[in-house]
Each structure stands twice: as C-alpha cells, then as structure tokens.
C-alpha cells in the first residue's frame, strides 16, 4: 500500500524549532518529488515547499523562506522539514504529499494524514 | 503571480442534485489544474488532474472541465459522502508566488 506517515509535530514556544519527518512506503520514494503543505485551523491549504527526487532543487513559499528547510534521505525513504524561528501563525496541520514528477511541482496524488504543530507560549 | 479564486465559497445542495464548482485563474494555466476533496479531519484527496482526468478510483460522477483561466468541477448527483470542501490547484506557473497554487476552497454542504 502506498503510504506517507508524518511525525514530529507538537507544541513549541514562539522562536523555537521542530523537525518534521515523513516516512514513505509502498512506492519507489527516490523516483518522486515531494512537498510539504499545511493547513491552519479552519483555513485552506498552503503549499510550503517542494524538493525534487535527487534533492537538487528545493523551493519554498515566501512566508517560510529562510526559516524552514526541506530535505530527504532516499536511503531511508524519508522526507524532512526543519522548522526554525517558529511563529504563532505557523500553527497548523502539516502534510507531506507526493508529486508524480521526479523534477517538477505538479499535482499531488498521495498525501499523509498530517501532523499537528502548535506554536504557543 | 497567478491567483486562484474559487466560487462560491459555500454551495448548499440536496443529495441527488448536481453541483457545479468554479475555479478561476488570474492568468492562463493551460490545463495544468487539479481538484482535491477534503473531508473534516482527513487529508486532501486528488480527484482530477490535467483539468479533466479523473484520478484512480474516483467515481464517474465527478468531472472536470475548462482550460486557460476558467475551470469547473461538476458532481453530477451528490451522494452523502460528497459533502466536503473542494480545492483547485494550478501547477502551470511554479513557484506560484505568495498567494500559492491553491484556491481558497468551496464547501459543499447539505
């Protein structure tokens, strides 16, 4: 079964850091580019970051550029999101999602169930 | 930057009726448009890509149409499990700018 499972969420104080992980199974992880998408409580979807299959290209939305870093380990079938300088507005459910292309951002055909990040003092 | 706008924000429909959801791009995205369905507490599910191609396992009552700047998702006869929020997403111009690739969503309610 094709599956993505996020972990690493939790509560953190403003200015703090968290590292999210996404474990992939049931498909050849190294053949797909991957994304992080988040959803604040009661809000819509916000794309955050894309990384291609070989980690050669990484892109971020402006609101997280310089604070968040996406990475992957194809040997461990895992995707990561290092989040620093967290703000209250980063409170959201964070999803990892697969893109069908190994290189380019396209539509996302497989999604994890998400992990919740709460930034609060 | 391409801005995706969905309308209406909320659509009230009875089971068995037809639902028509709109998505407009501020400039052409060709046919590089996807639709997702999201139910409460669940992740989004891909319904349509390439503006009109149903994803694997998606029932035929879901159909997508349009190209350029105007797109439509039609649910021909609403079932109880179809009441959800629907998002469109462009992937023609990427990175897409501060507004992001997703529309704001349409909630389909009873």
């Amino acid at each position: 079964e094709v599956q993505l499972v996020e972990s690493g969420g939790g509560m953190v104080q403003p200015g703090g850091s968290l590292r999210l992980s996404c474990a992939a199974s049931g498909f050849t992880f190294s053949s797909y580019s991957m994304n992080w998408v988040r959803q604040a409580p009661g809000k819509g979807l916000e794309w955050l970051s894309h990384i291609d299959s070989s980690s050669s290209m990484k892109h971020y939305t402006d609101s997280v550029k310089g604070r968040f870093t996406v990475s992957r380990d194809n040997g461990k079938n895992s995707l990561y999101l290092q989040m620093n300088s967290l703000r209250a507005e980063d409170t959201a459910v964070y999803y990892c999602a697969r893109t069908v292309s190994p290189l380019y951002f396209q539509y996302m055909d497989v999604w994890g169930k998400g992990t919740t990040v709460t930034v609060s003092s | 930057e391409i801005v995706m706008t969905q309308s209406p924000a909320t659509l009230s429909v009875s089971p068995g009726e037809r639902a028509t959801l709109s998505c407009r791009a501020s400039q052409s995205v060709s046919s590089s448009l996807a639709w997702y369905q999201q139910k409460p507490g669940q992740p989004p599910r891909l319904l349509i890509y390439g503006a009109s191609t149903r994803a694997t396992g998606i029932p035929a009552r879901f159909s997508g149409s349009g190209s350029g700047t105007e797109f439509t998702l039609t649910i021909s006869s609403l079932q109880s499990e179809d009441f959800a929020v629907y998002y469109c997403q462009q992937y023609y111009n990427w990175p897409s700018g501060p507004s992001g690739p997703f529309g704001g969503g349409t909630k389909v309610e009873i």
Side-chain angles (χ1 to χ4, degrees):
Chain A
E1 178 192 5
V2 174
Q3 198 170 9
L4 297 171
V5 179
E6 302 93 339
S7 61
M11 182 172 286
V12 61
Q13 291 188 337
S17 298
L18 273 179
R19 188 194 195 208
L20 305 184
S21 299
C22 170
S25 59
F27 65 99
T28 305
F29 180 70
S30 59
S31 296
Y32 294 86
S33 62
M34 297 294 295
N35 303 269
W36 288 100
V37 176
R38 71 182 177 187
Q39 187 168 37
K43 302 296 185 183
L45 301 172
E46 180 185 20
W47 170 79
L48 298 180
S49 181
H50 172 270
I51 183 170
D52 74 356
S53 60
S54 63
S55 303
S56 299
M57 292 192 299
K58 303 176 185 180
H59 292 90
Y60 303 89
T61 193
D62 287 349
S63 62
V64 307
K65 212 172 284 184
R67 299 190 300 127
F68 290 10
T69 302
V70 64
S71 62
R72 65 190 294 162
D73 184 336
N74 287 344
K76 294 183 178 179
N77 292 334
S78 292
L79 174 74
Y80 306 101
L81 186 68
Q82 178 66 43
M83 304 188 296
N84 298 331
S85 302
L86 283 162
R87 308 165 179 166
E89 54 265 36
D90 295 318
T91 295
V93 175
Y94 286 71
Y95 298 102
C96 63
R98 186 181 83 170
T99 298
V100 292
S101 166
L103 285 178
Y104 305 115
F105 175 75
Q106 293 186 341
Y107 54 92
M108 290 165 273
D109 66 336
V110 179
W111 294 67
K113 288 182 166 36
T115 188
T116 300
V117 172
T118 303
V119 184
S120 174
S121 55
Chain B
E1 179 195 1
I2 297 178
V3 178
M4 306 302 294
T5 303
Q6 291 186 242
S7 62
T10 303
L11 185 63
S12 298
V13 189
S14 298
E17 289 187 341
R18 182 186 192 92
T20 303
L21 289 66
S22 294
C23 176
R24 174 175 294 178
S26 60
Q27 56 187 277
S28 177
V29 298
S30 187
S31 294
S32 298
L33 186 104
W35 289 94
Y36 301 87
Q37 176 194 66
Q38 188 180 32
K39 298 178 182 178
Q42 295 185 18
R45 177 174 71 144
L46 176 67
L47 296 177
I48 301 282
Y49 61 92
S52 60
T53 303
R54 277 189 302 277
T56 303
I58 301 304
R61 64 180 181 273
F62 291 92
S63 63
S65 63
S67 66
T69 62
E70 300 282 345
F71 300 88
T72 301
L73 175 69
T74 301
I75 312 171
S76 59
S77 176
L78 270 157
Q79 308 297 302
S80 57
E81 62 266 30
D82 301 334
F83 293 96
V85 180
Y86 293 82
Y87 295 94
C88 62
Q89 176 230 319
Q90 67 88 8
Y91 50 95
Y92 180 80
N93 181 10
W94 163 80
S96 49
S99 64
F102 292 103
T106 291
K107 182 180 181 181
V108 176
E109 64 175 23
I110 300 175

